[in-house]
Amino acid sequence: MPDLLLELRSEEIPARMQRKAAGDLKKLVTDALVEAGLTYEGAREYWTPRRLTLDIRGLTARSADQREERKGPRTDAPEGAIAGFLRGAGLSSISEAQVVNDPKKGDFYVAVISKPGRPAEEIIAEVMPGIIRNFPWPKSMRWGAASMPKGARFAGIDGKGPESLRWVRPLQSIVCVFGPEHDETQVIPFEIDGLVASNITYGHRFHAPDAITVRRFDDYVTSLEKAKVMLDADRRKDVILHDARDLAFANGLDLVEDEGLLEEVSGLVEWPHVLMGEFEEDYLEIPSEIIRLTIKTNQKCFVTRPQTGGEGLSNRFILISNIEAKDGGKEIMHGNGKVVRARLSDAKHFWTRDQGDMPDLDTLKDSAAKFGLDLKKPLDQRMAKLDALNVTFHAKLGTQGERVARIRALAKELAKVTGADPALVDRAAVLAKADLRTEAVGEFPELQGLMGRKYAILQGEDASVAAAIEDHWKPNGPSDRLPEEKVGLTVALADKLDTLVGFWAIDEKPTGSKDPFALRRAALGVVRILLERKVRLPLTQAFMWAYSPSIYGTAAKSLDEVAERAYSPDLLSFFHDRLKVYLRDQGARHDLIDAVLTPDADDLLLIARRVEALTAFITSEDGKNLLAGTKRAVQLLAAEEKKGTVVADGVSEELLKLDAEKALWAAIVVASKEASDAVAKEDFRSAMEALSKLRAPVDKFFEDVLVNDEDTAIRANRLALLKAIREATATVADFSKISG
């Protein structure tokens, strides 16, 4: 069966777009071919900075013939109906239709429509121009005459301006060859914007710019390799990583690996060549995080560290060249070194200025007094500046200064729950956002929090305060670390709860896949902190603290309206959804989570403990048997309640006639008390062990007792017994929601 080789070669494609674009090309082409009636054995996509390549193996040479029978109207139908049938079936005369007899419906027309198969070459040539013209690039461009202003474009043959091709970068050539594995292949010469597909491609821009004739994928890869083009992106990544490790090791260093940067640089080169540059050791006085981001962001280079260990970096960096230079890369290393030094000089300037006094201290006195700031300290100055500038946090939620005031007041209340030192919490909350006004964070927003910690240490803040400034942003995702200490944990909770409650109040909630303010991430962060740090925090109480008039001040007039939104079950339900996701990721069964989760449950740690205890119990033999008996009782009771059958308000011992129902009632009384006492002590395992004692009495009850007795009073009393079972088990879970 024949194979198809497709290459779209252009100017350099942005590295961040390459992998997805290659995947899009594969999907678009294979979908179009399958829709046209072709099949294939396998397809794989490849990409380099200058080309997208698709290798399709085992493509059928021709689409299958198709035969369709289209049923029409009865032979005695009106002429209009018959004419419409002929048009729809593509028939010129009714004589071309067949007449079929149906014993029940009579004679009716049938059109037999035959569509012969088409050669794969014809199908490929037909679908490719549309795929290329409508390719889903995030950003694309026109070039040449098509890029001129509308009135200045060259006219086409028909006197109209050409329909210009949009592509991520100017498209330069197209390869499209098709044929069997061992026979001659043929070019499928479709045309788009003057580019005609051929069997000609080109190698490395500098090392091998001459034309290359290709027949099929294998010799295409071999020819590109000779022309200094490594087609497989994953192989380029592997070569870069191992060569960089080896070069660092040979110089007594370790490579600081970065998967994101590795993916990016593999999309910048077709023939990777690893080199090492250096900068002056004086720049190592700058925090390593700034050095790493400066070199990564501006020069796409890797940093290294001494093999002796530690967090400090060396003054050597690894760069990836697309050229195998004749001088061994000396000029390339020299040029990159100059740029790196210039960027590090800027970074050092930011680092130094952030530790100095601001020029307008006199204008910051009011803000300093408001937050109790010491204007002799650089970080305090920058917090005062953040407030004085009235930097907007959100149009409906006020300024950053107002937000810090809210977080500060909320953190004060939360400290009573977490057990953190209130004075340290207050100081950390006041300084948490101060580094937003530093030049280092202005240049590298990724460093917010981390730079605040470093500046806090430099000005002599308590270690817990400094750590909290960095950690209050955390966790930033399901795999990010949690705040290390109670002070940071408290401020992190305050920050996230203020965000959630605030945006809920202004009705800016996540919808579907849209979550512009990362509220799901904030809620998951709260869930992780509470559960993994074992913090007992009633969320409804936290919402109330977040909306206390002391925080909102002048906004207290509308507090009732705002609080009504915040206290609605909707926000608590949002937390429940994040809790479910978290617990399921930890291996908990969804039905067990639903069994313990009530709409008003606001202690997430308690819910998690209930799920853990229920999971252990329900997998035991007693648990399985009790579940079966309990579900039978609950289902029978629910069915009777639905019918309107009378259920007694309580169990009357005088109406208990049989030993089995007397024994069950006695067991329920004991188990209910023991379970309630255990739940009060939050000992859920003991509560479930107490309930497990109902197993035998419940089984015996259903063996010996007819619930729907003819005597209505006895029936109502026995249904009350079932209700008592439901109420007893409900102290720990809603057993009706448990599957099995």
Side-chain angles (χ1 to χ4, degrees):
M1 296 177 73
D3 303 328
L4 174 65
L5 169 63
L6 177 70
E7 180 201 70
L8 305 175
R9 188 180 64 88
S10 68
E11 293 291 338
E12 276 72 6
I13 304 167
R16 68 183 183 279
M17 298 183 187
Q18 293 168 17
R19 184 180 290 271
K20 183 179 185 301
D24 288 341
L25 180 65
K26 173 183 172 181
K27 185 177 190 309
L28 290 169
V29 173
T30 55
D31 284 356
L33 296 180
V34 169
E35 187 176 348
L38 300 177
T39 61
Y40 63 96
E41 293 177 356
R44 184 177 174 186
E45 71 275 27
Y46 299 86
W47 62 92
T48 78
R50 299 178 63 216
R51 66 199 80 220
L52 301 178
T53 299
L54 182 59
D55 173 31
I56 301 181
R57 301 292 176 95
L59 189 66
T60 47
R62 185 182 181 85
S63 63
D65 295 340
Q66 294 181 348
R67 185 178 185 276
E68 177 189 356
E69 290 188 359
R70 185 174 299 179
K71 186 176 179 180
R74 286 167 51 96
T75 54
D76 57 355
E79 289 186 9
I82 293 175
F85 164 65
L86 293 176
R87 285 195 302 272
L91 302 181
S92 57
S93 169
I94 196 64
S95 62
E96 297 177 7
Q98 297 179 4
V99 176
V100 177
N101 177 264
D102 186 322
K104 295 182 179 179
K105 298 182 180 180
D107 294 339
F108 60 90
Y109 291 113
V110 171
V112 178
I113 304 171
S114 296
K115 293 183 179 179
R118 301 165 61 204
E121 299 94 311
E122 181 182 318
I123 293 172
I124 295 166
E126 180 182 280
V127 303
M128 283 308 306
I131 290 173
I132 294 173
R133 283 195 180 279
N134 300 303
F135 200 81
W137 292 108
K139 291 185 178 180
S140 54
M141 61 178 289
R142 298 188 186 96
W143 58 93
S147 66
M148 296 181 181
K150 189 173 182 180
R153 293 182 189 170
F154 295 110
I157 295 174
D158 59 358
K160 299 178 181 179
E163 180 188 353
S164 59
L165 171 66
R166 297 187 68 93
W167 198 248
V168 62
R169 295 291 185 270
L171 192 60
Q172 296 178 327
S173 69
I174 302 171
V175 169
C176 189
V177 293
F178 179 72
E181 184 177 356
H182 300 295
D183 296 336
E184 281 302 312
T185 56
Q186 62 173 305
V187 174
I188 302 179
F190 62 86
E191 184 270 340
I192 181 167
D193 260 32
L195 283 176
V196 180
S198 69
N199 60 352
I200 303 297
T201 189
Y202 297 83
H204 193 283
R205 183 189 295 277
F206 304 110
H207 289 308
D210 296 335
I212 300 169
T213 303
V214 298
R215 293 183 302 162
R216 54 179 55 86
F217 182 76
D218 291 342
D219 73 273
Y220 166 77
V221 173
T222 303
S223 298
L224 285 182
E225 195 82 16
K226 291 178 181 177
K228 305 294 186 183
V229 174
M230 197 177 293
L231 184 65
D232 191 331
D234 290 330
R235 183 175 162 227
R236 291 198 304 275
K237 285 176 65 175
D238 190 62
V239 167
I240 292 169
L241 180 60
H242 285 86
D243 285 359
R245 285 173 178 169
D246 292 346
L247 182 58
F249 184 79
N251 286 271
L253 303 168
D254 285 332
L255 177 72
V256 177
E257 297 183 17
D258 186 321
E259 177 60 31
L261 179 58
L262 180 61
E263 173 79 10
E264 184 174 11
V265 297
S266 72
L268 297 175
V269 296
E270 290 194 316
W271 193 250
H273 190 57
V274 176
L275 302 169
M276 178 173 283
E278 66 178 315
F279 54 85
E280 286 73 18
E281 291 189 354
D282 291 349
Y283 289 121
L284 295 178
E285 297 173 4
I286 308 170
S288 59
E289 293 85 0
I290 295 182
I291 296 174
R292 183 176 179 180
L293 265 177
T294 298
I295 293 177
K296 171 184 175 177
T297 304
N298 293 297
Q299 286 303 103
K300 314 303 179 189
C301 295
F302 296 86
V303 293
T304 62
R305 63 166 66 96
Q307 290 180 349
T308 52
E311 296 183 0
L313 301 179
S314 80
N315 66 326
R316 304 284 188 91
F317 61 92
I318 300 289
L319 62 103
I320 314 301
S321 170
N322 194 34
I323 300 174
E324 193 171 336
K326 294 179 180 178
D327 65 354
K330 291 181 181 178
E331 282 299 315
I332 296 173
M333 290 185 285
H334 176 70
N336 274 268
K338 286 177 64 176
V339 177
V340 165
R341 290 185 196 96
R343 296 289 182 259
L344 289 178
S345 178
D346 291 342
K348 188 174 183 179
H349 175 70
F350 300 148
W351 169 244
T352 303
R353 277 178 60 91
D354 285 340
Q355 297 173 57
D357 289 338
M358 303 193 80
D360 52 353
L361 292 182
D362 288 343
T363 65
L364 306 179
K365 291 180 179 178
D366 289 344
S367 293
K370 185 192 307 183
F371 290 98
L373 297 166
D374 182 354
L375 290 182
K376 295 178 182 178
K377 297 181 176 181
L379 203 57
D380 291 56
Q381 294 175 21
R382 281 146 184 84
M383 176 57 221
K385 186 70 173 179
L386 184 69
D387 178 67
L389 288 174
N390 289 320
V391 177
T392 300
F393 168 63
H394 186 280
K396 296 180 181 179
L397 292 173
T399 66
Q400 286 282 10
E402 290 169 336
R403 182 167 187 245
V404 169
R406 295 197 302 269
I407 292 172
R408 184 184 188 186
L410 179 53
K412 179 181 178 181
E413 301 296 337
L414 292 174
K416 301 171 185 175
V417 175
T418 63
D421 185 312
L424 297 180
V425 166
D426 186 70
R427 181 64 172 161
V430 167
L431 295 179
K433 306 295 181 184
D435 66 354
L436 294 177
R437 291 303 307 167
T438 63
E439 294 192 39
V441 173
E443 181 73 10
F444 299 113
E446 307 97 311
L447 296 180
Q448 56 191 359
L450 188 146
M451 293 311 302
R453 178 177 191 165
K454 292 186 179 295
Y455 293 134
I457 292 172
L458 286 173
Q459 71 177 36
E461 298 295 333
D462 185 279
S464 294
V465 171
I469 292 173
E470 177 182 1
D471 288 354
H472 89 280
W473 293 102
K474 297 185 176 299
N476 272 323
S479 59
D480 192 21
R481 70 171 179 83
L482 295 176
E484 296 173 354
E485 300 178 0
K486 289 182 178 181
V487 176
L489 180 151
T490 305
V491 182
L493 281 174
D495 177 79
K496 291 168 176 56
L497 287 168
D498 174 77
T499 299
L500 287 156
V501 174
F503 280 105
W504 232 257
I506 62 173
D507 205 23
E508 292 280 359
K509 307 168 189 176
T511 56
S513 61
K514 294 182 179 179
D515 187 8
F517 303 109
L519 301 183
R520 290 188 180 92
R521 186 173 65 189
L524 181 59
V526 173
V527 169
R528 285 192 60 203
I529 290 173
L530 297 183
L531 269 57
E532 295 178 30
R533 291 289 184 260
K534 303 191 184 311
V535 177
R536 297 288 304 279
L537 174 65
L539 287 178
T540 49
Q541 178 63 66
F543 301 159
M544 292 175 66
W545 287 332
Y547 274 102
S548 65
S550 62
I551 296 176
Y552 273 82
T554 56
K557 294 178 183 177
S558 59
L559 183 62
D560 290 342
E561 178 186 348
V562 176
E564 185 178 346
R565 288 181 179 175
Y567 302 156
S568 73
D570 193 24
L571 179 54
L572 188 57
S573 176
F574 184 71
F575 272 98
H576 287 173
D577 290 341
R578 295 308 101 201
L579 176 65
K580 290 178 182 179
V581 171
Y582 176 84
L583 292 177
R584 284 199 295 267
D585 287 345
Q586 299 298 309
R589 282 169 40 181
H590 69 88
D591 58 324
L592 301 188
I593 300 172
D594 290 340
V596 303
L597 191 58
T598 58
D600 59 348
D602 68 348
D603 189 332
L604 303 190
L605 182 59
L606 202 61
I607 295 168
R609 287 177 176 172
R610 283 177 178 262
V611 172
E612 181 182 359
L614 183 58
T615 301
F617 175 69
I618 214 66
T619 54
S620 69
E621 197 62 30
D622 281 345
K624 293 175 184 176
N625 291 325
L626 178 63
L627 175 62
T630 300
K631 292 191 77 168
R632 183 178 177 185
V634 170
Q635 289 168 358
L636 177 57
L637 175 63
E640 293 302 320
E641 286 176 331
K642 189 174 182 180
K643 293 177 188 176
T645 306
V646 176
V647 180
D649 293 334
V651 176
S652 171
E653 294 190 30
E654 291 78 8
L655 293 175
L656 298 176
K657 303 300 183 183
L658 302 176
D659 290 343
E661 58 184 332
K662 293 177 183 178
L664 177 59
W665 174 239
I668 290 172
V669 171
V670 173
S672 295
K673 184 177 187 311
E674 291 180 356
S676 297
D677 291 345
V679 168
K681 298 175 184 175
E682 298 179 6
D683 185 355
F684 302 112
R685 289 184 182 273
S686 295
M688 291 177 193
E689 287 174 6
L691 291 175
S692 70
K693 297 174 184 177
L694 293 175
R695 169 192 167 184
V698 167
D699 291 345
K700 186 65 173 172
F701 175 81
F702 282 115
E703 287 176 10
D704 297 354
V705 179
L706 177 64
V707 176
N708 286 321
D709 194 271
E710 293 181 359
D711 187 318
T712 56
I714 293 176
R715 179 171 65 244
N717 197 55
R718 288 175 179 172
L719 288 172
L721 265 177
L722 302 187
K723 185 177 180 181
I725 295 173
R726 183 172 66 185
E727 292 172 349
T729 55
T731 57
V732 293
D734 183 349
F735 277 54
S736 66
K737 293 182 178 179
I738 302 175
S739 59

